[in-house]
Amino acid sequence: MPMSKVATCLWFEKEGLEAARFYCALIPESEIAEPERFDNMLTGEVDAVLVIDFTLGGAPFQILQAGPHQAHTDMVSISVTTEDQAETDRLWAALTADGGQESQCGWLIDRWGIRWQITLRQLTELTARGDKRRTNAMMQAMMGMTRLDMAALEAAYDAG
């Protein structure tokens, strides 16, 4: 896997390699490089820091597993545009399993505390039409959802 000039780096306390493998298994066109280990310069622990370079759907990411850190927040999220409701449902179920949490409007938090936005391509296509009244009606419906339901969003758009 060629090294990218720019990548999003996610700090993990532990289970970074497990998370990278899980993420890559979920999203097509993803791969993980051989992890690198370093000594922790603060604690002196040998081979304690792990750097994992990987791609998700072709986008470069890196996990730095280097011990305790501040909690992840909504300030950074991984945004995935899905092709259909089945893909949305599959990702949603996998990412909210084993301690993940649903949030609002297509947002969730996985078991490692990473925030995700799972958005259907059809949603962005409808908003691109430029019909403000209908888009506002659809967005109002979205505010009451956790996992996005495209059929309900289209119905709200059509009724708007």
Side-chain angles (χ1 to χ4, degrees), residues 3-75:
M3 182 76 123
S4 176
K5 186 173 186 171
V6 177
T8 300
C9 182
L10 306 169
W11 185 308
F12 276 62
E13 180 174 351
K14 57 186 178 181
E15 299 180 356
L17 185 56
E18 180 183 347
R21 287 178 177 151
F22 178 73
Y23 298 158
C24 288
L26 284 179
I27 299 175
E29 299 178 38
S30 300
E31 67 178 316
I32 187 167
E34 185 65 31
E36 301 174 35
R37 291 193 177 273
F38 303 93
D39 296 346
N40 189 316
M41 298 301 152
L42 298 175
T43 67
E45 198 176 352
V46 176
D47 287 340
V49 176
L50 189 62
V51 177
I52 305 122
D53 289 303
F54 62 106
T55 61
L56 289 179
F61 282 86
Q62 183 178 75
I63 288 179
L64 173 63
Q65 181 179 301
H69 59 82
Q70 296 178 350
H72 297 285
T73 71
D74 288 342
M75 297 291 289

